[in-house]
Amino acid sequence: MTKRVLLARPRGYCAGVDRAVETVERALELYGAPIYVRKQIVHNKHVVQTLERKGAIFVEENDEVPEGATVIFSAHGVAPEVHEQARQRNLHAIDATCPLVTKVHQEARRYARDEYDILLIGHEGHEEVVGTSGEAPEHVTLVDGPDSVDQVEVRDPSKVVWLSQTTLSVDETLETVDRLKAKFPGLQSPPSDDICYATQNRQQVVKQIAPDCDVLLVIGSRNSSNSVRLREVALEAGARASYLIDFASEIDDGWLAGASTVGLTSGASVPEDLIEQVLGHLAARGYADVEEITTVQERQTFALPREIKRDLAARNT
């Protein structure tokens, strides 16, 4: 039996994750350890453990950070009240929110000012949803998938708009939007798609390779929404089986029994070294033939937060 790996590209770090992780690394260089980070900077176990070894301390809330210390807000964004809490505790706050999430926050504020009801498509309790909802809590109603549309009520059907969490399944989001439009024909859409380019790109290449895969492995943590979606997309697109793993050591050899083609991708918060470890694991089991399937080249980059850029410039003068 011929054994091969179809390696998806794009995969791994997106521009927002790269920016957030580098923010913590640069802060440690500039200010020294410890640097406090509210919530996981990105949803990946390996990244968090690596930064902890370098001196980052991850906390749940601002009140766990000593007064006057440096705190970094995660890539998923925070509500305005979190910024206010930081000011009250005299914290040196650095906001590593992904600019694409910031765009959704700005849309929420704008539509709230115009007295719209905002239907936020997303998963209840996800940090990004909590942060976006906090921008206009009186105007935001969470819509957690198409099956929850029937329970949605608005004040004025002529003034209603949908926004979304950036890391959702593209197809499920469009299904939810279609259901909402059937119920509220006057529903408006955001000026540009809220689902981030990286989420869409990673799902698109998985859709392309999944029909040829006996098994498709997704590297990513279980609290990573975009990684969980990749596994679901793989199964919907025709992969015979798909598994979500954090590390190569989690691969069950039973999954590979009888498999000639293994697909491999990773979520947007996964560093490339974890891909290399899984490729080595598969090669040791006969899957040495690796074909990279590329659907699009990603060139997006985001500048570091202004505080980091300012202090790096000052250090280098």
Side-chain angles (χ1 to χ4, degrees):
M1 180 178 65
T2 301
K3 293 183 177 182
R4 63 172 181 163
V5 176
L6 296 182
L7 179 60
R9 183 175 181 183
R11 61 181 179 273
Y13 271 14
C14 63
V17 165
D18 194 43
R19 174 183 185 266
V21 174
E22 187 178 357
T23 295
V24 179
E25 292 173 338
R26 294 290 191 176
L28 286 163
E29 292 174 17
L30 287 166
Y31 316 125
I35 294 294
Y36 293 86
V37 184
R38 184 183 179 275
K39 308 293 186 181
Q40 292 188 357
I41 187 68
V42 296
H43 286 158
N44 183 264
K45 186 184 299 185
H46 174 71
V47 171
V48 169
Q49 291 172 347
T50 300
L51 292 173
E52 283 178 330
R53 288 193 292 270
K54 295 180 178 180
I57 297 176
F58 291 87
V59 299
E60 287 299 303
E61 299 297 343
N62 284 337
D63 58 12
E64 300 173 59
V65 181
E67 289 200 21
T70 296
V71 64
I72 297 175
F73 298 144
S74 79
H76 307 104
V78 297
E81 65 184 39
V82 176
H83 289 280
E84 180 57 32
Q85 292 164 359
R87 282 190 289 270
Q88 291 174 359
R89 293 182 58 78
N90 193 32
L91 301 180
H92 176 216
I94 299 172
D95 191 353
T97 300
C98 173
L100 298 180
V101 175
T102 298
K103 176 184 78 74
V104 182
H105 283 222
Q106 292 168 342
E107 291 169 350
R109 291 195 297 269
R110 179 164 67 85
Y111 284 111
R113 282 195 302 269
D114 293 338
E115 288 299 319
Y116 276 77
D117 278 345
I118 300 165
L119 305 183
L120 178 59
I121 301 172
H123 296 304
E124 186 171 3
H126 189 279
E127 289 161 39
E128 185 183 327
V129 166
V130 172
T132 302
S133 299
E135 294 287 355
E138 299 84 8
H139 292 80
V140 172
T141 298
L142 179 63
V143 184
D144 197 342
D147 292 338
S148 66
V149 169
D150 290 343
Q151 287 75 50
V152 175
E153 300 294 338
V154 299
R155 295 170 300 170
D156 182 354
S158 69
K159 294 199 73 171
V160 59
V161 63
W162 70 271
L163 303 177
S164 80
Q165 180 182 330
T166 64
T167 54
L168 299 178
S169 159
V170 177
D171 293 336
E172 183 181 358
T173 300
L174 292 177
E175 182 184 351
T176 304
V177 171
D178 287 343
R179 293 273 291 270
L180 286 170
K181 285 182 176 177
K183 184 170 184 176
F184 305 111
L187 180 72
Q188 293 192 31
S189 300
S192 61
D193 192 350
D194 284 345
I195 297 179
C196 89
Y197 75 94
T199 296
Q200 296 186 59
N201 290 345
R202 281 149 189 73
Q203 291 177 13
Q204 190 57 45
V205 67
V206 164
K207 288 179 183 179
Q208 182 166 324
I209 67 174
D212 296 323
C213 295
D214 299 301
V215 178
L216 195 147
L217 300 175
V218 178
I219 306 175
S221 294
R222 282 154 183 77
N223 64 337
S224 166
S225 179
N226 76 88
S227 299
V228 171
R229 299 288 86 72
L230 284 173
R231 177 182 173 274
E232 294 171 351
V233 167
L235 292 171
E236 291 166 0
R240 262 69 79 194
S242 184
Y243 302 96
L244 182 65
I245 58 172
D246 266 300
F247 305 105
S249 59
E250 296 176 4
I251 297 173
D252 184 334
D253 283 346
W255 300 345
L256 306 177
S260 63
T261 301
V262 175
L264 180 58
T265 190
S266 58
S269 52
V270 176
E272 187 67 12
D273 59 332
L274 295 186
I275 280 279
E276 295 300 326
Q277 290 171 21
V278 171
L279 287 173
H281 183 98
L282 292 172
R285 286 152 181 80
Y287 297 90
D289 179 11
V290 179
E291 180 183 357
E292 189 170 57
I293 307 297
T294 303
T295 53
V296 66
Q297 298 287 346
E298 291 183 347
R299 295 180 174 86
Q300 180 74 59
T301 59
F302 294 132
L304 291 168
R306 63 182 183 275
E307 300 91 344
I308 297 291
K309 289 200 301 180
R310 178 197 64 210
D311 293 343
L312 281 171
R315 186 188 68 175
N316 294 330
T317 56

